[in-house]
Amino acid sequence: MVERAGGKDHVKVKAGQDFLKLDPGKQPWDDIGALLLDPSCSGSGIVGRDDMPTLVLPEKHAGFVDRPKSKKRKRKGLNLPTPAPEHPAELDEEIQLAEDQSGEKLRGRLEALSAFQLKLLLHAFRFPRAKRVTYSTCSIHAEENEHVVVKALNSPLAQQRGWRILRRDEQVPGMKAWDVRGRMGECGDLLPGSIQTSEEISEAYIRCNKGTKEGTQGFFVAGFVRDNVDGAIAEADSEGTTPRSSTRSSPSDEPDEEWEGFSDEGSTVNSMLMSIDS
Ligand SMILES: C[S@@+](CC[C@H](N)C(=O)[O-])C[C@H]1O[C@@H](n2cnc3c(N)ncnc32)[C@H](O)[C@@H]1O
């Protein structure tokens, strides 16, 4: 995909690695300036996934009663509507599944996904020289989008390292002009003392909705920046705590969280990891 997009001379593909197991304090990761984080999500924004239930067609042997063949229908030239099939039990099951997806099961799935997404986002914040992180999903659910971002912003890690949202007025022209922004009501409570308001943050998000005049799939993206990385590194250097210059094997210079190279047990990661120099 990188090659097709004409990016092979600029993007190194490091396939088959678990992002959560990378130590941000070790080379070459300690030099990364920007991360594009596009993690696994529910995919609920993808047209044709959640809104296209499997169609279970009635079968003759499953109790489906054939209509007696009408003489009228045999007549040439008559364009009669197809008779509605009798409602087979299998279709009830499909309806049941669809209902589950909007209830308990969906809630549980979103909870698990958003916890994982937050883990990934916080890990991205740990790269010592990173100045930019994008976080995107093809989900329509605020749980995976606005909620994850606000939790990340409220984390001690983001606050200590100075991560904030890239405001709409700082974005490139095309993104700044895009009208569909975050859902204000879903931006949650920012911690007191936050340097940005909920209005500023929801305005900074870019959303795409499916089934609208824009012709897009469902998508969400937020940009995070931090302004004084070099100053923070210089300060840490003078205190001898810069991850680059230290020999420690874990990047946990955070008093709040111990980094242990966490990863989801049993998950197979077949993804690509892209490192992009700023
Ligand atoms: C939405 S897809 C990314 C699509 C990609 N950006 C593209 O445009 O083709 C999410 C990817 O994240 C990968 N992933 C999930 N957890 C990961 C981890 N811990 N380390 C690396 N990749 C991971 C999944 O395997 C999946 O390929």
Side-chain angles (χ1 to χ4, degrees):
M1 294 299 281
V2 166
E3 194 172 337
R4 270 199 226 166
K8 76 174 163 55
D9 296 335
H10 313 284
V11 180
K12 281 180 203 153
V13 178
K14 312 248 185 193
Q17 297 190 59
D18 185 346
F19 175 61
L20 292 173
K21 285 190 174 148
L22 302 183
D23 184 339
K26 280 192 174 165
Q27 285 187 355
W29 319 116
D30 59 345
D31 237 0
I32 283 177
L35 292 98
L36 190 158
L37 187 66
D38 188 33
S40 308
C41 71
S42 63
S44 50
I46 299 174
V47 175
R49 190 173 284 185
D50 282 357
D51 54 354
M52 287 279 283
T54 314
L55 187 60
V56 182
L57 294 171
E59 287 174 31
K60 277 187 183 172
H61 60 265
F64 181 70
V65 186
D66 241 349
R67 279 189 162 221
K69 287 190 177 85
S70 147
K71 284 177 187 165
K72 274 185 185 174
R73 296 185 74 227
K74 281 185 179 170
R75 281 191 226 147
K76 279 185 181 171
L78 268 185
N79 193 15
L80 295 171
T82 313
E86 299 198 12
H87 192 79
E90 292 93 320
L91 281 182
D92 281 338
E93 212 176 299
E94 286 300 314
I95 292 163
Q96 192 56 49
L97 278 175
E99 278 170 1
D100 282 346
Q101 284 300 300
S102 60
E104 266 315 283
K105 272 191 190 164
L106 178 64
R107 293 271 82 76
R109 193 169 164 231
L110 292 180
E111 226 169 82
L113 276 167
S114 61
F116 180 63
Q117 290 152 350
L118 180 64
K119 218 179 207 189
L120 289 163
L121 185 50
L122 292 179
H123 196 55
F125 285 171
R126 291 190 170 93
F127 288 71
R129 286 182 189 264
K131 290 181 181 167
R132 285 174 185 253
V133 171
T134 62
Y135 172 76
S136 53
T137 73
C138 46
S139 164
I140 56 168
H141 300 295
E143 287 86 340
E144 295 176 86
N145 299 326
E146 286 90 345
H147 297 189
V148 170
V149 172
V150 169
K151 281 179 195 158
L153 285 173
N154 279 341
S155 69
L157 184 70
Q159 299 198 345
Q160 285 157 11
R161 297 201 169 203
W163 286 105
R164 64 172 179 85
I165 285 284
L166 181 76
R167 296 189 310 271
R168 184 173 183 175
D169 66 281
E170 299 172 295
Q171 292 170 10
V172 294
M175 291 192 164
K176 200 194 298 187
W178 185 255
D179 274 340
V180 192
R181 314 302 297 197
R183 295 182 194 151
M184 179 56 202
E186 299 285 2
C187 286
D189 292 328
L190 288 162
L191 287 181
S194 165
I195 50 170
Q196 291 181 291
T197 63
S198 299
E199 288 80 5
E200 193 174 281
I201 290 171
S202 69
E203 188 65 13
Y205 300 142
I206 287 172
R207 259 190 181 273
C208 297
N209 296 320
K210 59 178 176 181
T212 55
K213 64 179 165 49
E214 287 92 13
T216 57
Q217 310 222 25
F219 195 71
F220 172 93
V221 62
F224 294 86
V225 284
R226 53 185 186 148
D227 304 309
N228 192 17
V229 176
D230 295 333
I233 289 173
E235 199 177 306
D237 267 342
S238 68
E239 291 164 11
T241 55
T242 309
R244 289 192 98 198
S245 56
S246 80
T247 51
R248 40 191 193 81
S249 60
S250 124
S252 61
D253 52 341
E254 308 298 333
D256 52 297
E257 276 181 81
E258 269 307 302
W259 184 81
E260 289 165 349
F262 45 51
S263 186
D264 280 7
E265 285 289 316
S267 73
T268 311
V269 176
N270 57 359
S271 67
M272 62 184 189
L273 179 81
M274 297 190 281
S275 69
I276 305 165
D277 290 330
S278 61

